[in-house]
Amino acid sequence: MSFGTPDKNGKVNEGLIYGPPGDRTVHLCIDMQRMFDKGSPWAVEWLRRVLPQVCQVVERWPAQTVFTRFIPPETLDDAPGTWRPYYEKWPQMLRQNIDPDWLRLLPELELHLPTARVFDKPVYSPWMDGRLHRMLQEDGIDTLVMTGGETDVCLLAAVIGAVDLGYRVIIVSDALCSSTDETHDATMEIYGNRFGQQIEMIRTEKLLAAVV
């Protein structure tokens, strides 16, 4: 499937249906935290594999980068609804039980703070309480370049919410990570084949070349 369409000069920006992202763009990097690195029960095997590409995108847009962080509840009693059995399965990931440093961004990304911003969320989606949408709207943002993980969980929730809110969504396809190949591939297929008019996908190298 082709995601490229000719721009006004007759050239094709592969993956960019609407041309290069403009000044009203934010790079939304999803949950690239130490709790998903090696040694954690929630370790994502691909995290380190895609980190160089994520770093390249951050380095292109440091002041326009927002890092989300997934923040578990302090105690089991703080987990609402079906989050309670979820954390009954993962009690070691409650904040009362983990090293606080695990909540932090990976060191390679944290060095971009405070130029880049951090947005904390208690659930998969960053849109649930409206804070992120209000913040982006106040800045006049209409386009989101998205990286991080997991492709089929938190990033999925971020992408679908962004589509519903009307943002232009550009997924950097080689800057995403997941725990499983099968569900990553299936989710990428859904992004491309079911949301082809609302979700654009492009590799890091081609994205950066398009915005130079």
Side-chain angles (χ1 to χ4, degrees):
M1 181 176 181
S2 173
F3 295 91
T5 56
D7 64 17
K8 63 182 180 180
N9 298 314
K11 298 180 180 179
V12 173
N13 289 314
E14 184 181 350
L16 296 175
I17 298 171
Y18 304 111
D23 294 337
R24 299 171 65 187
T25 298
V26 152
H27 168 218
L28 190 61
C29 181
I30 306 298
D31 300 0
M32 294 289 284
Q33 296 165 254
R34 302 177 194 203
M35 70 163 63
F36 301 116
D37 205 356
K38 293 179 180 179
S40 167
W42 284 352
V44 177
E45 182 181 355
W46 305 357
L47 192 71
R48 288 281 163 183
R49 190 188 315 168
V50 304
L51 181 60
Q53 291 87 268
V54 175
C55 287
Q56 288 179 58
V57 179
V58 177
E59 288 161 7
R60 174 60 182 82
W61 284 296
Q64 289 76 41
T65 291
V66 175
F67 294 108
T68 70
R69 299 192 307 177
F70 182 77
I71 308 296
E74 179 71 23
T75 70
L76 193 59
D77 289 339
D78 297 322
T82 57
W83 284 104
R84 186 180 181 94
Y86 179 88
Y87 283 106
E88 286 174 346
K89 180 179 179 180
W90 301 103
Q92 68 272 44
M93 301 306 292
L94 291 165
R95 290 208 316 275
Q96 65 180 8
N97 297 328
I98 65 172
D99 183 340
D101 279 349
W102 278 20
L103 302 176
R104 294 168 60 185
L105 299 172
L106 295 173
E108 295 88 342
L109 301 175
E110 194 172 66
L111 62 83
H112 292 284
L113 303 179
T115 302
R117 292 176 286 178
V118 169
F119 180 85
D120 291 341
K121 59 189 179 68
V123 294
Y124 300 143
S125 173
W127 309 110
M128 183 175 172
D129 62 7
R131 289 180 298 127
L132 179 61
H133 183 50
R134 287 193 296 273
M135 181 178 81
L136 297 178
Q137 290 300 289
E138 288 170 0
D139 291 343
I141 301 303
D142 62 12
T143 301
L144 301 176
V145 171
M146 302 185 73
T147 64
E150 291 184 73
T151 313
D152 41 357
V153 186
C154 289
L155 190 125
L156 172 63
V159 166
I160 298 303
V163 168
D164 281 344
L165 290 166
Y167 289 98
R168 178 186 180 189
V169 175
I170 301 171
I171 293 175
V172 188
S173 59
D174 60 341
L176 311 181
C177 56
S178 179
S179 298
T180 65
D181 291 359
E182 182 178 359
T183 52
H184 167 85
D185 292 345
T187 306
M188 294 295 281
E189 185 76 11
I190 291 171
Y191 291 154
N193 289 333
R194 297 290 288 170
F195 294 95
Q197 294 302 311
Q198 293 171 302
I199 297 175
E200 300 157 85
M201 293 197 290
I202 190 168
R203 294 179 65 82
T204 302
E205 180 181 6
K206 292 186 176 181
L207 172 67
L208 299 182
V211 297
V212 170

